[in-house]
Amino acid sequence: MKVGILALQGDVREHARALEDAGATPVEIRYPEELNGVDALVLPGGESTTIGKLLDRFDLLEPLTERARAGMPLYGTCAGLILMATEIVGSHEAPHRLAVLDIAVQRNAYGRQIDSFEADLAVKGLDDAFRAVFIRAPIVESVGENVEVLAEHDGRPVLVRHGALLASTFHPEMTGDNRVHELFVQCLGR
């Protein structure tokens, strides 16, 4: 199974390691023609406005949106989740995004970099707690009726799934615990 990693910004190496450990073959994606060689794609964290502009500049926004709407599995972490969201709440815009996951998101909702934190999460499908790293994380304000909440923190969704789309407000690639990536790779085999 070849899983692309959008390699314009973010934790590309860390996601590649986690995907390899989960049994997938990671492939860095920078150009539209490279999308044809992968079965799924990870949208890593970073700065969502910058990533969105780079998606547009590298002519990836439209073909990636089309592939996602046609059923290509996506996993977005932090900024990747923002890029997947259909709605942005609050004053922070994110104009260049895929808008394929029925969630409303508030960007940088936990505060600045100094306000980053870790928390243990109960995740559906995992036996033991998952230690999650939240860095300038967004908050999922609401989810559509067909979106499944797999984990919460302080009563708010932090890991959601809808069909072939998985998204987290946290950075699982930073923990060395590959179980969330394994959940994504397992969904690809269905």
Side-chain angles (χ1 to χ4, degrees):
M1 186 70 57
K2 289 185 179 179
V3 178
I5 304 166
L6 185 65
L8 303 178
Q9 188 191 55
D11 291 339
V12 177
R13 284 189 313 262
E14 292 83 352
H15 279 291
R17 179 198 45 77
L19 288 166
E20 276 183 347
D21 290 348
T25 302
V27 178
E28 292 185 11
I29 303 295
R30 291 181 184 86
Y31 301 102
E33 58 273 10
E34 295 170 333
L35 286 173
N36 296 327
V38 297
D39 303 300
L41 185 78
V42 171
L43 298 164
E47 207 290 312
S48 58
T49 300
T50 300
I51 296 171
K53 287 178 181 178
L54 290 170
L55 281 171
D56 187 50
R57 183 174 295 143
F58 283 83
D59 295 321
L60 277 161
L61 188 60
E62 187 175 318
L64 182 51
T65 302
E66 287 174 10
R67 286 282 311 270
R69 289 191 175 142
M72 181 173 80
L74 297 179
Y75 174 34
T77 63
C78 199
L81 170 136
I82 293 167
L83 293 169
M84 292 171 65
T86 55
E87 183 181 350
I88 304 297
V89 176
S91 60
H92 298 287
E93 287 295 314
H96 302 289
R97 56 182 211 285
L98 309 175
V100 294
L101 180 59
D102 189 12
I103 59 174
V105 176
Q106 183 179 357
R107 296 176 61 204
N108 302 328
Y110 286 105
R112 299 174 11 175
Q113 191 84 15
I114 197 166
D115 300 312
S116 300
F117 64 96
E118 296 183 17
D120 289 326
L121 305 176
V123 177
K124 287 183 186 175
L126 301 184
D127 293 334
D128 299 317
F130 186 89
R131 187 73 175 172
V133 177
F134 294 84
I135 302 172
R136 294 182 64 217
I139 286 179
V140 176
E141 295 283 349
S142 64
V143 300
E145 65 181 68
N146 294 318
V147 176
E148 180 183 11
V149 176
L150 299 179
E152 294 183 344
H153 175 68
D154 286 342
R156 294 187 182 270
V158 294
L159 179 63
V160 297
R161 177 173 52 203
H162 180 227
L165 305 176
L166 182 69
S168 61
T169 63
F170 56 91
H171 292 266
E173 75 281 3
M174 298 185 76
T175 66
D177 183 342
N178 304 315
R179 292 180 295 158
V180 173
H181 286 80
E182 288 170 3
L183 284 176
F184 181 58
V185 171
Q186 288 168 3
C187 290
L188 304 180
R190 291 183 187 171

